[in-house]
Amino acid sequence: MELPAWLCGLWALLLFAASCGNTAPTEIQPPVMNLSVSVENLCTVIWTWNPPEGASPNCSLWYFSHFGNKQDKKIAPETHRSKEVPLNEKICLQVGSQCSANESDNPSTLVEKCILPPEGDPESAVTELQCVWHNLSYMKCTWLPGRNTSPDTNYTLYYWHNSLGKILQCENIYREGQHSTCSFTLTKLDSSFDQYSVQVMVKDDAGKIRPSFNIVPLTSYVQPDPPHIKSLSFQNGVLYVLGKNPQNFGRTCLFYQVEVNNSQTGAHFIFSDEKLICDNSEIEGNLEGTICFRVPGVPPDTLNTVRMRVKTNTLCYENNELWSNWSPVMTIGKKTNATLYTTILLIIPIIVAGAIIVLLLYLKRLKIIIFPPIPDPGKIFKEMFGDQNDDTLHWKKYDIYEKQTKEETDSVVLIENLKRTSQ
């Protein structure tokens, strides 16, 4: 069906008018007035400005702004902009006005306003300021002293979040090795609470060091408490582990890891596959609030030790690198007879020692058989002639002794005979 000629002409005219309207140059507006910056709470920086003077009355003003290096561009009708940012470095915002929300429009001359870091020696500020939200119940912050600080410096930590009416001071500061540590209560008040951040500042009591700031998103750096193993059981050669989630966490927000150690073989298994999670229908009993795991390949006839741990997953939190501590160990399986094991340990060294002794004796006799000793001729002759000389001397001594005895006896007989004759 062909369109009338007048209708085609009207359609072409409308397209031409629209294209001319889009290509018409936009009038550049004057710059904004009285751009200023201020800080609220600990790390909330607020920039405010006034509309430009002499702006076109037909212009609906919009404001184009971005931070240094053209980061976080934004076009909005409000005459203010805020950002949570650690005040450890210089932060600048540039603002310009324009007549539409299109980024392609040419804004006015950009006006810049910066906020400087706090005064003081940068080398005196604390380092490695980190905070972890433990089990959604308390936050623990740690830091190291600055390079140009005294070892006996007394630190103070201040914190603030959206649910607080004022800035609070952390009272529980203590030392853990080289780190200073402070913990404060932080509980989840509502479903939207973890969408905010906690602002933290650390400085000293005397005001000699430069303050250090940190922003802790509540969707990151979350560490759960360890889970609890409720029971272990074998069914059809498969190990079933029933555990209980840490308080304040649901199953959908956690990633699990189960470790099994076999005492006899020394085998070590770590299971992290989500496919190991079994249905609660596979286990009898009341399983409300529990998590079930099916662990294959574990020998049931030996002693096995089981423990588990958890961490947050990316479904609920941005950071998923902080594992909880391991749960207490639970055992299952048959324990090896300790008496038999001890007896074997005692018998084996005795058998080995006896075998070594027999082997040494056998080697000595074998050596004599293979390598018999060669007789010494000199020793043989010495023994032969040496014995004869000794016998000759012995007989000579005996003859001399016999003669002396006979002479003495004869003398005695002679004297006795003389006495008898005289009488």
Side-chain angles (χ1 to χ4, degrees):
M1 179 180 179
E2 297 182 359
L3 295 176
W6 64 270
L7 186 58
C8 292
L10 180 61
W11 181 254
L13 181 63
L14 291 174
L15 291 176
F16 177 76
S19 62
C20 291
N22 290 335
T23 57
T26 303
E27 183 180 358
I28 298 178
Q29 301 301 313
V32 299
M33 303 291 293
N34 302 325
L35 177 60
S36 61
V37 62
S38 60
V39 179
E40 290 186 358
N41 308 317
L42 292 175
C43 301
T44 305
V45 185
I46 302 175
W47 286 267
T48 59
W49 58 88
N50 294 331
E53 294 183 356
S56 173
N58 297 325
C59 175
S60 177
L61 287 174
W62 291 73
Y63 300 98
F64 171 82
S65 62
H66 66 78
F67 294 96
N69 299 327
K70 297 184 179 181
Q71 297 177 352
D72 297 334
K73 295 180 181 180
K74 182 180 180 181
I75 300 176
E78 293 84 13
T79 57
H80 60 84
R81 185 172 180 181
S82 63
K83 183 177 179 64
E84 281 189 325
V85 57
L87 303 180
N88 300 316
E89 298 178 355
K90 179 181 178 180
I91 306 164
C92 298
L93 179 72
Q94 294 182 348
V95 184
S97 60
Q98 59 188 48
C99 290
S100 69
N102 295 329
E103 189 175 346
S104 59
D105 286 352
N106 294 325
S108 67
T109 303
L110 298 179
V111 180
E112 184 180 66
K113 190 69 175 180
C114 301
I115 182 169
L116 300 177
E119 297 180 356
D121 182 8
E123 297 294 328
S124 65
V126 300
T127 59
E128 300 184 18
L129 176 57
Q130 299 177 349
C131 299
V132 176
W133 196 8
H134 285 268
N135 208 51
L136 306 183
S137 57
Y138 70 96
M139 181 163 284
K140 179 180 178 180
C141 298
T142 60
W143 64 88
L144 288 173
R147 297 179 181 177
N148 296 341
T149 54
S150 175
D152 58 349
T153 301
N154 294 321
Y155 296 99
T156 304
L157 184 142
Y158 297 93
Y159 64 96
W160 180 90
H161 54 83
N162 192 61
S163 300
L164 296 178
K166 61 180 181 179
I167 299 172
L168 298 182
Q169 178 180 342
C170 183
E171 303 291 343
N172 186 23
I173 295 182
Y174 54 94
R175 299 293 295 270
E176 288 184 346
Q178 296 182 352
H179 287 81
S180 296
T181 305
C182 190
S183 302
F184 54 89
T185 303
L186 183 65
T187 56
K188 189 174 182 179
L189 301 178
D190 51 50
S191 58
S192 62
F193 179 73
D194 53 7
Q195 302 301 320
Y196 302 108
S197 301
V198 177
Q199 302 177 9
V200 178
M201 179 186 68
V202 177
K203 65 177 185 177
D204 66 328
D205 298 338
K208 295 181 179 180
I209 69 171
R210 179 174 172 173
S212 182
F213 300 86
N214 194 13
I215 304 281
V216 186
L218 294 180
T219 55
S220 302
Y221 306 106
V222 178
Q223 184 178 32
D225 280 349
H228 174 69
I229 299 178
K230 298 180 66 175
S231 64
L232 302 173
S233 62
F234 279 103
Q235 294 186 15
N236 299 324
V238 177
L239 174 64
Y240 284 85
V241 181
L242 293 182
K244 184 178 180 181
N245 291 325
Q247 190 178 7
N248 304 326
F249 288 93
R251 170 176 173 176
T252 57
C253 293
L254 294 176
F255 183 81
Y256 301 86
Q257 194 172 77
V258 179
E259 181 189 72
V260 180
N261 290 292
N262 188 276
S263 60
Q264 181 175 349
T265 63
H268 175 78
F269 306 97
I270 295 182
F271 302 92
S272 302
D273 194 349
E274 289 294 332
K275 296 180 181 179
L276 297 176
I277 298 179
C278 56
D279 296 331
N280 290 346
S281 59
E282 301 181 31
I283 304 295
E284 298 179 356
N286 183 14
L287 302 177
E288 183 179 358
T290 62
I291 183 73
C292 173
F293 295 93
R294 185 192 307 107
V295 184
V298 178
D301 55 345
T302 57
L303 185 66
N304 299 280
T305 59
V306 183
R307 61 179 184 172
M308 60 187 300
R309 62 178 181 175
V310 296
K311 68 176 180 178
T312 58
N313 58 28
T314 54
L315 294 177
C316 303
Y317 300 92
E318 296 178 1
N319 185 287
N320 62 341
E321 298 180 357
L322 295 177
W323 285 99
S324 70
N325 295 327
W326 288 103
S327 67
V329 173
M330 184 172 285
T331 60
I332 187 173
K334 298 179 180 179
K335 189 175 181 181
T336 307
N337 191 342
T339 305
L340 178 61
Y341 184 72
T342 305
T343 305
I344 293 174
L345 288 180
L346 294 175
I347 291 176
I348 289 177
I350 296 174
I351 294 175
V352 173
I356 292 174
I357 294 173
V358 172
L359 181 62
L360 291 175
L361 294 176
Y362 177 76
L363 289 177
K364 186 175 181 180
R365 294 187 61 186
L366 187 63
K367 182 179 178 182
I368 294 173
I369 295 173
I370 297 175
F371 304 103
I374 299 174
D376 186 4
K379 186 176 180 180
I380 295 174
F381 286 112
K382 183 178 179 180
E383 291 178 355
M384 293 174 59
F385 295 106
D387 294 342
Q388 293 179 359
N389 294 335
D390 292 341
D391 292 341
T392 304
L393 293 175
H394 174 73
W395 288 110
K396 288 181 178 181
K397 291 180 180 179
Y398 179 76
D399 293 341
I400 296 170
Y401 175 76
E402 187 178 0
K403 289 181 178 180
Q404 291 178 352
T405 306
K406 186 176 182 181
E407 291 177 354
E408 291 177 357
T409 304
D410 294 342
S411 300
V412 172
V413 172
L414 180 61
I415 293 172
E416 290 181 354
N417 292 331
L418 290 175
K419 288 182 177 181
R420 290 176 182 177
T421 303
S422 60
Q423 290 178 355

PDB file of all heavy atoms in Angstrom, residues 20-29 56 58-60 97-102 104-108:
ATOM      1  N   CYS A  20      17.803  18.946  12.834  1.00  0.00           N
ATOM      2  CA  CYS A  20      18.332  20.298  13.040  1.00  0.00           C
ATOM      3  C   CYS A  20      18.354  20.657  14.518  1.00  0.00           C
ATOM      4  O   CYS A  20      19.263  21.321  15.006  1.00  0.00           O
ATOM      5  CB  CYS A  20      17.489  21.317  12.265  1.00  0.00           C
ATOM      6  SG  CYS A  20      17.671  21.183  10.471  1.00  0.00           S
ATOM      7  N   GLY A  21      17.311  20.203  15.244  1.00  0.00           N
ATOM      8  CA  GLY A  21      17.280  20.487  16.685  1.00  0.00           C
ATOM      9  C   GLY A  21      18.395  19.788  17.426  1.00  0.00           C
ATOM     10  O   GLY A  21      18.963  20.325  18.364  1.00  0.00           O
ATOM     11  N   ASN A  22      18.761  18.581  17.000  1.00  0.00           N
ATOM     12  CA  ASN A  22      19.815  17.845  17.686  1.00  0.00           C
ATOM     13  C   ASN A  22      21.191  18.405  17.395  1.00  0.00           C
ATOM     14  O   ASN A  22      22.090  18.327  18.222  1.00  0.00           O
ATOM     15  CB  ASN A  22      19.778  16.374  17.286  1.00  0.00           C
ATOM     16  CG  ASN A  22      18.544  15.675  17.853  1.00  0.00           C
ATOM     17  OD1 ASN A  22      17.988  16.111  18.859  1.00  0.00           O
ATOM     18  ND2 ASN A  22      18.104  14.608  17.171  1.00  0.00           N
ATOM     19  N   THR A  23      21.389  18.981  16.268  1.00  0.00           N
ATOM     20  CA  THR A  23      22.704  19.469  15.900  1.00  0.00           C
ATOM     21  C   THR A  23      22.911  20.928  16.249  1.00  0.00           C
ATOM     22  O   THR A  23      23.991  21.453  16.057  1.00  0.00           O
ATOM     23  CB  THR A  23      22.919  19.289  14.391  1.00  0.00           C
ATOM     24  OG1 THR A  23      21.872  19.978  13.676  1.00  0.00           O
ATOM     25  CG2 THR A  23      22.895  17.803  14.036  1.00  0.00           C
ATOM     26  N   ALA A  24      21.872  21.544  16.784  1.00  0.00           N
ATOM     27  CA  ALA A  24      22.025  22.959  17.135  1.00  0.00           C
ATOM     28  C   ALA A  24      22.986  23.086  18.294  1.00  0.00           C
ATOM     29  O   ALA A  24      22.911  22.323  19.263  1.00  0.00           O
ATOM     30  CB  ALA A  24      20.678  23.556  17.506  1.00  0.00           C
ATOM     31  N   PRO A  25      23.910  24.003  18.299  1.00  0.00           N
ATOM     32  CA  PRO A  25      24.886  24.151  19.374  1.00  0.00           C
ATOM     33  C   PRO A  25      24.219  24.578  20.669  1.00  0.00           C
ATOM     34  O   PRO A  25      23.291  25.379  20.680  1.00  0.00           O
ATOM     35  CB  PRO A  25      25.839  25.224  18.834  1.00  0.00           C
ATOM     36  CG  PRO A  25      25.038  25.997  17.842  1.00  0.00           C
ATOM     37  CD  PRO A  25      24.088  25.012  17.236  1.00  0.00           C
ATOM     38  N   THR A  26      24.695  24.007  21.801  1.00  0.00           N
ATOM     39  CA  THR A  26      24.174  24.341  23.121  1.00  0.00           C
ATOM     40  C   THR A  26      24.946  25.532  23.672  1.00  0.00           C
ATOM     41  O   THR A  26      26.175  25.578  23.604  1.00  0.00           O
ATOM     42  CB  THR A  26      24.317  23.135  24.060  1.00  0.00           C
ATOM     43  OG1 THR A  26      23.649  22.022  23.475  1.00  0.00           O
ATOM     44  CG2 THR A  26      23.725  23.429  25.419  1.00  0.00           C
ATOM     45  N   GLU A  27      24.235  26.450  24.288  1.00  0.00           N
ATOM     46  CA  GLU A  27      24.873  27.654  24.832  1.00  0.00           C
ATOM     47  C   GLU A  27      25.666  27.297  26.077  1.00  0.00           C
ATOM     48  O   GLU A  27      25.172  26.603  26.963  1.00  0.00           O
ATOM     49  CB  GLU A  27      23.792  28.685  25.169  1.00  0.00           C
ATOM     50  CG  GLU A  27      24.356  29.994  25.679  1.00  0.00           C
ATOM     51  CD  GLU A  27      23.266  30.992  26.003  1.00  0.00           C
ATOM     52  OE1 GLU A  27      22.077  30.673  25.792  1.00  0.00           O
ATOM     53  OE2 GLU A  27      23.608  32.092  26.482  1.00  0.00           O
ATOM     54  N   ILE A  28      26.906  27.753  26.159  1.00  0.00           N
ATOM     55  CA  ILE A  28      27.762  27.487  27.317  1.00  0.00           C
ATOM     56  C   ILE A  28      27.388  28.443  28.438  1.00  0.00           C
ATOM     57  O   ILE A  28      27.305  29.661  28.235  1.00  0.00           O
ATOM     58  CB  ILE A  28      29.243  27.626  26.942  1.00  0.00           C
ATOM     59  CG1 ILE A  28      29.613  26.586  25.875  1.00  0.00           C
ATOM     60  CG2 ILE A  28      30.120  27.451  28.180  1.00  0.00           C
ATOM     61  CD1 ILE A  28      31.047  26.679  25.407  1.00  0.00           C
ATOM     62  N   GLN A  29      27.189  27.899  29.635  1.00  0.00           N
ATOM     63  CA  GLN A  29      26.747  28.671  30.787  1.00  0.00           C
ATOM     64  C   GLN A  29      27.946  29.177  31.593  1.00  0.00           C
ATOM     65  O   GLN A  29      29.062  28.658  31.472  1.00  0.00           O
ATOM     66  CB  GLN A  29      25.849  27.809  31.671  1.00  0.00           C
ATOM     67  CG  GLN A  29      24.614  27.284  30.978  1.00  0.00           C
ATOM     68  CD  GLN A  29      23.753  28.405  30.444  1.00  0.00           C
ATOM     69  OE1 GLN A  29      23.478  29.383  31.151  1.00  0.00           O
ATOM     70  NE2 GLN A  29      23.325  28.294  29.181  1.00  0.00           N
ATOM     71  N   SER A  56      21.352  31.456  31.389  1.00  0.00           N
ATOM     72  CA  SER A  56      20.242  31.662  30.458  1.00  0.00           C
ATOM     73  C   SER A  56      18.933  31.309  31.133  1.00  0.00           C
ATOM     74  O   SER A  56      18.825  30.263  31.787  1.00  0.00           O
ATOM     75  CB  SER A  56      20.455  30.795  29.214  1.00  0.00           C
ATOM     76  OG  SER A  56      19.322  30.861  28.378  1.00  0.00           O
ATOM     77  N   ASN A  58      16.267  30.272  29.859  1.00  0.00           N
ATOM     78  CA  ASN A  58      15.655  29.101  29.226  1.00  0.00           C
ATOM     79  C   ASN A  58      16.427  27.808  29.512  1.00  0.00           C
ATOM     80  O   ASN A  58      16.088  26.759  28.972  1.00  0.00           O
ATOM     81  CB  ASN A  58      15.577  29.300  27.711  1.00  0.00           C
ATOM     82  CG  ASN A  58      14.693  30.482  27.341  1.00  0.00           C
ATOM     83  OD1 ASN A  58      13.690  30.736  28.013  1.00  0.00           O
ATOM     84  ND2 ASN A  58      15.069  31.204  26.286  1.00  0.00           N
ATOM     85  N   CYS A  59      17.460  27.902  30.356  1.00  0.00           N
ATOM     86  CA  CYS A  59      18.329  26.748  30.641  1.00  0.00           C
ATOM     87  C   CYS A  59      17.926  26.126  31.963  1.00  0.00           C
ATOM     88  O   CYS A  59      17.835  26.824  32.984  1.00  0.00           O
ATOM     89  CB  CYS A  59      19.793  27.186  30.668  1.00  0.00           C
ATOM     90  SG  CYS A  59      20.942  25.873  31.140  1.00  0.00           S
ATOM     91  N   SER A  60      17.673  24.826  31.938  1.00  0.00           N
ATOM     92  CA  SER A  60      17.449  24.066  33.158  1.00  0.00           C
ATOM     93  C   SER A  60      18.809  23.552  33.619  1.00  0.00           C
ATOM     94  O   SER A  60      19.362  22.617  33.029  1.00  0.00           O
ATOM     95  CB  SER A  60      16.482  22.908  32.905  1.00  0.00           C
ATOM     96  OG  SER A  60      16.313  22.139  34.074  1.00  0.00           O
ATOM     97  N   SER A  97      28.696  23.870  35.116  1.00  0.00           N
ATOM     98  CA  SER A  97      27.250  23.911  34.867  1.00  0.00           C
ATOM     99  C   SER A  97      26.973  23.702  33.390  1.00  0.00           C
ATOM    100  O   SER A  97      27.787  24.040  32.526  1.00  0.00           O
ATOM    101  CB  SER A  97      26.673  25.240  35.326  1.00  0.00           C
ATOM    102  OG  SER A  97      27.281  26.322  34.614  1.00  0.00           O
ATOM    103  N   GLN A  98      25.784  23.135  33.091  1.00  0.00           N
ATOM    104  CA  GLN A  98      25.346  22.932  31.717  1.00  0.00           C
ATOM    105  C   GLN A  98      23.819  22.872  31.703  1.00  0.00           C
ATOM    106  O   GLN A  98      23.182  22.810  32.751  1.00  0.00           O
ATOM    107  CB  GLN A  98      25.945  21.663  31.117  1.00  0.00           C
ATOM    108  CG  GLN A  98      25.608  20.395  31.881  1.00  0.00           C
ATOM    109  CD  GLN A  98      26.375  19.194  31.356  1.00  0.00           C
ATOM    110  OE1 GLN A  98      27.586  19.252  31.168  1.00  0.00           O
ATOM    111  NE2 GLN A  98      25.655  18.100  31.115  1.00  0.00           N
ATOM    112  N   CYS A  99      23.256  22.851  30.510  1.00  0.00           N
ATOM    113  CA  CYS A  99      21.808  22.979  30.378  1.00  0.00           C
ATOM    114  C   CYS A  99      21.088  21.652  30.192  1.00  0.00           C
ATOM    115  O   CYS A  99      19.870  21.642  29.984  1.00  0.00           O
ATOM    116  CB  CYS A  99      21.465  23.910  29.194  1.00  0.00           C
ATOM    117  SG  CYS A  99      21.876  25.647  29.515  1.00  0.00           S
ATOM    118  N   SER A 100      21.770  20.549  30.222  1.00  0.00           N
ATOM    119  CA  SER A 100      21.115  19.259  30.053  1.00  0.00           C
ATOM    120  C   SER A 100      21.900  18.199  30.806  1.00  0.00           C
ATOM    121  O   SER A 100      22.988  18.459  31.323  1.00  0.00           O
ATOM    122  CB  SER A 100      21.017  18.890  28.569  1.00  0.00           C
ATOM    123  OG  SER A 100      22.299  18.601  28.037  1.00  0.00           O
ATOM    124  N   ALA A 101      21.308  17.002  30.844  1.00  0.00           N
ATOM    125  CA  ALA A 101      21.951  15.892  31.539  1.00  0.00           C
ATOM    126  C   ALA A 101      22.823  15.066  30.622  1.00  0.00           C
ATOM    127  O   ALA A 101      23.312  14.009  31.028  1.00  0.00           O
ATOM    128  CB  ALA A 101      20.890  15.005  32.182  1.00  0.00           C
ATOM    129  N   ASN A 102      23.031  15.541  29.388  1.00  0.00           N
ATOM    130  CA  ASN A 102      23.857  14.804  28.442  1.00  0.00           C
ATOM    131  C   ASN A 102      25.330  15.059  28.719  1.00  0.00           C
ATOM    132  O   ASN A 102      25.762  16.217  28.833  1.00  0.00           O
ATOM    133  CB  ASN A 102      23.514  15.214  27.007  1.00  0.00           C
ATOM    134  CG  ASN A 102      22.089  14.817  26.632  1.00  0.00           C
ATOM    135  OD1 ASN A 102      21.576  13.820  27.122  1.00  0.00           O
ATOM    136  ND2 ASN A 102      21.461  15.633  25.779  1.00  0.00           N
ATOM    137  N   SER A 104      27.592  14.666  26.670  1.00  0.00           N
ATOM    138  CA  SER A 104      28.218  15.198  25.463  1.00  0.00           C
ATOM    139  C   SER A 104      28.143  16.728  25.389  1.00  0.00           C
ATOM    140  O   SER A 104      28.850  17.346  24.599  1.00  0.00           O
ATOM    141  CB  SER A 104      27.557  14.602  24.216  1.00  0.00           C
ATOM    142  OG  SER A 104      26.166  14.899  24.196  1.00  0.00           O
ATOM    143  N   ASP A 105      27.267  17.344  26.220  1.00  0.00           N
ATOM    144  CA  ASP A 105      27.182  18.812  26.214  1.00  0.00           C
ATOM    145  C   ASP A 105      28.456  19.422  26.773  1.00  0.00           C
ATOM    146  O   ASP A 105      29.127  18.837  27.625  1.00  0.00           O
ATOM    147  CB  ASP A 105      25.990  19.281  27.042  1.00  0.00           C
ATOM    148  CG  ASP A 105      24.672  19.035  26.314  1.00  0.00           C
ATOM    149  OD1 ASP A 105      24.732  18.658  25.134  1.00  0.00           O
ATOM    150  OD2 ASP A 105      23.612  19.197  26.943  1.00  0.00           O
ATOM    151  N   ASN A 106      28.730  20.609  26.313  1.00  0.00           N
ATOM    152  CA  ASN A 106      29.908  21.333  26.804  1.00  0.00           C
ATOM    153  C   ASN A 106      29.567  22.051  28.097  1.00  0.00           C
ATOM    154  O   ASN A 106      28.747  22.978  28.095  1.00  0.00           O
ATOM    155  CB  ASN A 106      30.392  22.331  25.763  1.00  0.00           C
ATOM    156  CG  ASN A 106      30.923  21.647  24.521  1.00  0.00           C
ATOM    157  OD1 ASN A 106      31.522  20.582  24.603  1.00  0.00           O
ATOM    158  ND2 ASN A 106      30.687  22.268  23.355  1.00  0.00           N
ATOM    159  N   PRO A 107      30.175  21.642  29.235  1.00  0.00           N
ATOM    160  CA  PRO A 107      29.881  22.358  30.480  1.00  0.00           C
ATOM    161  C   PRO A 107      30.617  23.692  30.514  1.00  0.00           C
ATOM    162  O   PRO A 107      31.447  24.001  29.651  1.00  0.00           O
ATOM    163  CB  PRO A 107      30.399  21.411  31.553  1.00  0.00           C
ATOM    164  CG  PRO A 107      31.494  20.663  30.882  1.00  0.00           C
ATOM    165  CD  PRO A 107      31.109  20.539  29.440  1.00  0.00           C
ATOM    166  N   SER A 108      30.313  24.451  31.539  1.00  0.00           N
ATOM    167  CA  SER A 108      31.006  25.722  31.732  1.00  0.00           C
ATOM    168  C   SER A 108      32.444  25.468  32.153  1.00  0.00           C
ATOM    169  O   SER A 108      32.880  24.322  32.299  1.00  0.00           O
ATOM    170  CB  SER A 108      30.276  26.527  32.803  1.00  0.00           C
ATOM    171  OG  SER A 108      30.406  25.880  34.066  1.00  0.00           O
TER     172      SER A 108
END
